[in-house]
Amino acid sequence: GSVVTWQRVTTLQRCRDRIAVLTGGPGAFFRPSAAQHATPEVLDLAGAAGYSAVLSYDVDSRDFTDPGPVAIRRAVATSNAGSVVSMHLGHPGTLAALPGVLDDLGHRGLTPVTASALFR
């Protein structure tokens, strides 16, 4: 109902405001948690919180499951030019995998860019 929707919008706005305090801005994109693609409801909620763009991804590193650096590198190796890769802060395996991920992408002629640069 409308109370649930209002609570979700309020939660999203509080998160947006916290991100803005920590980083200087709310970010250009909203990426829903635990979902590769946004549902129509998520698009509406994000719009109500001021996000005109919702980011999906096509490569899931599954790093949030802490599979280790080798598995993360293998998952990211499926990316192509224009891919959006889902990776997360706060996981030691992600941090350990990152130098190898960057090397692997570089050897394939791919350059990581921000979402803002990719979707310019």
Side-chain angles (χ1 to χ4, degrees):
S2 62
V3 171
V4 172
T5 299
W6 177 82
Q7 288 173 334
R8 288 180 179 165
V9 170
T10 301
T11 300
L12 208 152
Q13 289 171 339
R14 282 197 327 263
C15 291
R16 175 206 60 208
D17 294 347
R18 182 71 178 139
I19 290 168
V21 166
L22 294 172
T23 67
F29 300 93
F30 174 75
R31 187 190 67 81
S33 181
Q36 183 175 3
H37 302 287
T39 64
E41 180 187 17
V42 168
L43 293 172
D44 289 344
L45 293 170
Y51 288 99
S52 60
V54 176
L55 187 63
S56 295
Y57 56 88
D58 63 307
V59 176
D60 189 353
S61 71
R62 309 254 333 132
D63 64 335
F64 65 93
T65 66
D66 298 317
V70 172
I72 294 168
R73 283 179 73 176
R74 192 174 356 187
V76 176
T78 65
S79 61
N80 296 300
S83 283
V84 175
V85 178
S86 175
M87 297 182 83
H88 299 78
L89 298 172
H91 294 271
T94 304
L95 185 59
L98 201 52
V101 164
L102 295 173
D103 286 344
D104 296 345
L105 293 172
H107 290 307
R108 295 178 48 218
L110 300 173
T111 303
V113 298
T114 63
S116 295
L118 182 62
F119 296 112
R120 211 173 263 157

